[in-house]
């Protein structure tokens, strides 16, 4: 008795549907969130505000102030991603981000014409405002003002009783809007330091003189490496690190850590790791999957089979075997084997 093999057609593949759909309308996709660039405005010489009009797959209602999206652009035939904080989502559902023209993706993104298509993720990240109305302190430097400005608007809507913002910048991006908000809302105090004019950095003394009760407030910090290092040192020294919520734009590597051998098990590749594991792998010519490069998304998460790694955001050392780590925010502090 012979067996008849019955043909069962597969479901249509998503990528095929997307390929056909984009020939009809570039923004159409089955599940992907595609967005067209609706507007570009210059905030300063190298800082741009970009408004993205997403397709119907984008779930704008899930957005909380302080969250971000991954933006994917194609550069020289390769899909490249970077995370950007959302300034706001307009009443029409358009996503507004601010992009400093630095780095591969940001350079490409700020040069795209209105009408160009990009791919974006759903909203992500935990850098969101607590539901309390107790006084808060906001700390921003450089392009970190994007996420902080979003939190500020939410804090005003939430009727937080006292809001102080300390902002260090080389230019006046968002300065006029922030001045206007300070005039309209007496509970909001705005402290701007133009670092081109004043050589002022974040110190405990500056915090004491500007916001005397800062040690009693929930604080939110987002900015460049120098300010983030300072705020972490100050808050740890004062024993108030539990009052600090933060978002990183640059991962601070432990410069004193010794170079370590790392093995990618499945790829049968070994390389020397000097910086975070993602960058070290890329410098060795490998291309692990990645997204935000800031520890927000989970794209580069993988299993550490053995060895010790340091989390560059928290400073914690993980000695355990078979644990999940994110390559972009972990540095090897011993020989490490990874299941990749």
């Amino acid at each position: 008795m012979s067996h008849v093999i019955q043909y069962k057609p597969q479901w249509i593949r998503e990528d095929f549907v997307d390929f056909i759909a984009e020939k009809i309308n570039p923004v159409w996709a089955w599940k992907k969130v595609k967005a067209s660039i609706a507007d570009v405005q210059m905030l300063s010489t190298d800082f741009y505000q970009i408004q993205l009009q997403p397709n119907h797959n984008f779930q704008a209602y899930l957005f909380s102030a302080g969250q971000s999206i991954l933006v994917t652009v194609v550069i020289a035939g390769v899909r490249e991603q970077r995370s950007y904080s959302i300034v706001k989502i307009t009443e029409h559902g358009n996503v507004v981000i601010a992009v400093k023209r630095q780095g591969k993706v940001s350079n490409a993104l700020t040069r795209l014409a209105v009408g160009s298509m990009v791919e974006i993720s759903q909203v992500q990240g935990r850098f969101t405002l607590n539901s309390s109305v107790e006084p808060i302190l906001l700390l921003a430097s450089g392009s970190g003002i994007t996420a902080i400005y979003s939190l500020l608007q939410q804090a005003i809507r939430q009727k937080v009783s006292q809001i102080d913002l300390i902002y260090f910048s080389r230019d006046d991006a968002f300065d006029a809007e922030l001045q206007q908000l300070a005039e309209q809302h007496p509970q909001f105090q705005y402290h701007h330091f133009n670092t081109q004019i004043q050589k002022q950095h974040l110190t405990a003394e500056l915090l004491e003189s500007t916001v005397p009760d800062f040690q009693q407030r929930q604080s939110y910090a987002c900015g460049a490496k120098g300010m983030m290092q300072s705020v972490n040192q100050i808050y740890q020294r004062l024993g108030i690190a539990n009052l600090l919520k933060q978002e990183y734009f640059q991962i601070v590597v432990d410069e004193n850590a010794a170079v370590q051998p790392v093995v990618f098990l499945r790829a049968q590749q070994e390389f020397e790791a000097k910086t975070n594991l993602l960058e070290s792998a890329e410098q060795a010519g490998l291309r692990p999957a990645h997204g935000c490069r800031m520890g927000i998304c989970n794209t580069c998460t993988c299993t550490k089979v053995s060895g010790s790694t340091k989390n560059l955001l928290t400073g914690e050392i993980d000695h355990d075997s078979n644990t999940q780590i994110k390559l972009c925010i972990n540095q090897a502090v011993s020989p490490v084997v990874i299941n990749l």
Side-chain angles (χ1 to χ4, degrees):
M1 183 178 169
S2 62
H3 291 281
V4 177
I5 298 171
Q6 192 174 2
Y7 170 69
K8 292 183 180 177
Q10 285 186 311
W11 286 102
I12 297 170
R13 285 170 45 150
E14 181 185 342
D15 55 358
F16 176 72
V17 173
D18 286 351
F19 175 77
I20 299 299
E22 71 180 14
K23 300 297 177 198
I24 305 165
N25 185 328
V27 85
W28 285 358
W30 188 354
K31 294 176 186 172
K32 283 180 189 166
V33 184
K34 290 187 172 185
S36 62
I37 295 177
D39 184 51
V40 179
Q41 291 178 14
M42 188 182 277
L43 297 170
S44 67
T45 50
D46 62 349
F47 204 17
Y48 295 80
Q49 185 164 286
I50 299 175
Q51 191 171 143
L52 301 167
Q53 184 174 352
N55 64 12
H56 66 281
N57 292 331
F58 186 64
Q59 297 169 321
Y61 63 91
L62 294 177
F63 171 65
S64 294
Q67 289 188 302
S68 57
I69 53 167
L70 282 171
V71 178
T72 303
V73 293
V74 178
I75 303 169
V78 178
R79 286 162 55 84
E80 305 275 2
Q81 284 183 321
R82 194 186 184 286
S83 178
Y84 296 98
S85 295
I86 297 170
V87 177
K88 64 179 179 182
I89 293 183
T90 70
E91 58 186 27
H92 301 298
N94 284 5
V95 182
V96 179
I97 59 174
V99 181
K100 197 168 266 288
R101 187 174 275 178
Q102 57 186 20
K104 191 190 291 186
V105 177
S106 296
N107 255 299
L109 187 55
T110 54
R111 287 180 164 83
L112 291 176
V114 169
S116 300
M117 301 300 306
V118 293
E119 189 178 324
I120 65 174
S121 69
Q122 300 293 354
V123 298
Q124 57 185 22
R126 298 193 196 92
F127 188 61
T128 53
L129 201 66
N130 293 357
S131 56
S132 167
V133 295
E134 294 296 309
I136 63 169
L137 169 61
L138 304 173
L139 297 160
S141 70
S143 54
I145 191 60
T146 310
I148 294 295
Y149 184 60
S150 180
L151 289 185
L152 169 62
Q153 293 175 95
Q154 176 61 31
I156 291 170
R157 285 193 296 269
Q158 203 167 294
K159 296 186 169 47
V160 171
S161 58
Q162 180 64 41
I163 309 159
D164 280 79
L165 165 59
I166 298 175
Y167 173 32
F168 302 91
S169 69
R170 289 188 289 106
D171 51 49
D172 294 326
F174 290 104
D175 184 53
E177 294 93 327
L178 292 165
Q179 296 274 16
Q180 191 177 8
L181 284 173
E183 287 164 19
Q184 291 169 347
H185 302 280
Q187 76 274 29
F188 170 46
Q189 302 296 312
Y190 175 44
H191 317 276
H192 182 216
F193 296 95
N194 186 316
T195 52
Q196 297 278 62
I197 301 164
Q198 304 158 274
K199 297 302 173 194
Q200 179 65 61
H201 302 288
L202 184 67
T203 62
E205 293 72 29
L206 178 73
L207 287 172
E208 287 283 0
S209 61
T210 311
V211 188
D213 67 340
F214 80 95
Q215 293 193 51
Q216 280 76 54
R217 297 193 190 191
Q218 177 68 52
S219 298
Y220 301 82
C222 185
K225 182 164 69 174
M227 188 196 79
M228 297 305 284
Q229 283 179 315
S230 297
V231 72
N232 277 281
Q233 286 164 4
I234 293 164
Y235 275 58
Q236 280 163 16
R237 192 169 69 241
L238 294 171
I240 54 170
N242 60 309
L243 291 177
L244 181 63
K245 255 189 171 183
Q246 51 194 320
E247 182 89 302
Y248 288 80
F249 278 169
Q250 293 166 300
I251 305 304
V252 183
V253 172
D254 182 356
E255 302 287 356
N256 299 317
V259 172
Q260 299 292 345
V262 174
V263 174
F264 277 7
L265 210 53
R266 297 203 310 271
Q268 297 184 322
Q269 298 280 352
E270 183 171 346
F271 57 92
E272 299 279 288
K274 308 181 190 65
T275 175
N276 69 61
L277 288 165
L278 175 60
E279 282 186 7
S280 295
E282 289 175 334
Q283 285 163 11
L286 303 172
R287 294 188 62 84
H290 66 274
C292 66
R293 309 183 80 95
M294 290 163 32
I296 297 172
C297 74
N298 293 305
T299 311
C300 69
T301 299
C302 56
T303 302
K304 175 181 58 120
V305 178
S306 64
S308 301
T309 51
K310 178 179 182 178
N311 184 310
L312 296 167
L313 298 189
T314 64
E316 292 175 82
I317 307 283
D318 180 354
H319 299 291
D320 295 341
S321 299
N322 297 312
T323 55
Q324 296 292 296
I325 62 165
K326 296 178 184 180
L327 295 178
C328 68
I329 57 165
N330 276 278
Q331 185 172 5
V333 291
S334 81
V336 169
V337 176
I338 293 170
N339 189 23
L340 263 184

